[in-house]
Amino acid sequence: MRASLLQIAVDEGESIDSRRERVASLVREQAGADLVVLPELWTTGAFAFESFGAEAEPLEGPTYDVMAKAASDAGVWLHAGSIPERDPEGPLYNTSLVFSPAGELAAAYRKIHRFGFDKGEAVLMGAGAELVTVRLPETVVGLATCYDLRFPELFRGLVDAGAETLVIPAGWPERRRAHWTLLARARAVENQAFVLACGTAGTHAGVPQAGHSIVVDPWGEVLAEAGAGEEVLSVEFDPAKVGATRGQFPVLRDRVLGVERPRG
Ligand SMILES: O=C(O)CCC(=O)C(=O)O
């Protein structure tokens, strides 16, 4: 299976409309790949909190339209990263969109863990409440977004739902890059799954982005890692390695569930 992770530079010098068109062209250039992955909130930038309200889109808004077409033009599965979604009946959400090679919406995932503690996304957006997996011809993909990477129980839920490949768009800051790489590898090893984690490059809202998108196999080996700038990270991987690893070293079978908490 061939995947391309598009580590997009999100800089304030470029308008959202121009970036959307530029990213659509980059997606089209990936024709021949099986799966293309974009980062979190690449229209606004994950830290551009002031623009979330003004730039939020309905689920089927401009990013949806442009990305659905790009997926079908390229004939690829497209994880289009996430958008600030305006739900007419509720709050904003940080919502990931996955399109089939026919340009149809295959899945939408609202980020469950919002970043910022008592500020930023944590107060501006609502929390998703549903785990989402998508069946591709070669593998079952489990969806998570950025800060979700810190919560292993979410990934166990995805594995229990059948996930073999964990796709994580992000807007991770440079300041905590060491955590990004470590956690991506940890999620791959503990879940015996492929991890495809796609971040942004550039600086927006004064926050330099980590870049360093990464693809890790179920044994924890790094198959590919980007640098700091905008980059297309292409990788070939064999989805059958998930079943082989889980069969040969069956730690998931040894989980002990329902252990009682200490009393007192
Ligand atoms: O957890 C982190 O250090 C970064 C998370 C983040 O930037 C996000 O979820 O947008």
Side-chain angles (χ1 to χ4, degrees):
M1 190 171 174
R2 189 145 75 80
S4 297
L5 279 60
L6 308 191
Q7 180 171 287
I8 303 300
V10 179
D11 290 304
E12 275 126 13
E14 182 180 41
S15 74
I16 290 177
D17 286 345
S18 315
R19 182 149 55 244
R20 202 182 275 119
E21 290 309 320
R22 189 168 67 79
V23 170
S25 301
L26 276 173
V27 171
R28 285 191 191 95
E29 285 170 20
Q30 309 313 312
D34 299 293
L35 172 64
V36 177
V37 181
L38 297 178
E40 178 189 35
L41 297 178
W42 54 268
T43 54
T44 55
F47 286 86
F49 308 130
E50 290 80 37
S51 62
F52 287 175
E55 301 297 344
E57 317 175 21
L59 189 80
E60 298 190 21
T63 303
Y64 180 109
D65 290 343
V66 171
M67 290 299 123
K69 176 144 189 346
S72 70
D73 288 349
V76 296
W77 286 88
L78 173 62
H79 186 312
S82 71
I83 58 164
E85 181 205 349
R86 182 177 298 288
D87 178 346
E89 323 231 306
L92 305 182
Y93 292 100
N94 183 340
T95 304
S96 289
L97 306 172
V98 181
F99 295 97
S100 74
E104 280 155 4
L105 186 71
Y109 164 67
R110 288 174 167 168
K111 185 179 183 184
I112 291 176
H113 301 93
R114 296 155 302 159
F115 182 63
F117 308 113
D118 301 320
K119 295 195 292 238
E121 181 189 34
V123 293
L124 295 170
M125 290 188 167
E130 273 174 47
L131 295 178
V132 178
T133 59
V134 200
R135 183 172 288 280
L136 271 56
E138 306 87 351
T139 186
V140 179
V141 170
L143 304 184
T145 306
C146 202
Y147 188 48
D148 283 335
L149 185 59
R150 294 187 181 274
F151 298 88
E153 60 279 15
L154 180 147
F155 293 89
R156 271 299 148 85
L158 290 171
V159 167
D160 286 342
E164 301 162 328
T165 299
L166 305 165
V167 177
I168 309 160
W172 202 275
E174 166 59 20
R175 185 163 150 58
R176 293 185 293 282
R177 174 152 70 86
H179 297 189
W180 163 253
T181 309
L182 181 68
L183 291 168
R185 293 188 74 183
R187 297 294 88 88
V189 171
E190 75 196 356
N191 296 299
Q192 301 186 304
F194 284 96
V195 165
L196 278 58
C198 181
T200 48
T203 296
H204 66 271
V207 182
Q209 295 293 290
H212 285 265
S213 298
I214 190 165
V215 177
V216 191
D217 81 2
W219 196 248
E221 301 290 344
V222 176
L223 301 185
E225 184 173 354
E230 180 157 312
E231 183 172 335
V232 175
L233 186 69
S234 292
V235 66
E236 297 262 356
F237 65 98
D238 179 5
K241 197 159 180 191
V242 174
T245 306
R246 290 178 183 177
Q248 285 156 16
F249 194 70
V251 287
L252 290 173
R253 207 181 61 190
D254 281 348
R255 290 163 69 191
V256 178
L257 302 172
V259 179
E260 283 192 30
R261 290 168 191 264
R263 286 174 211 188

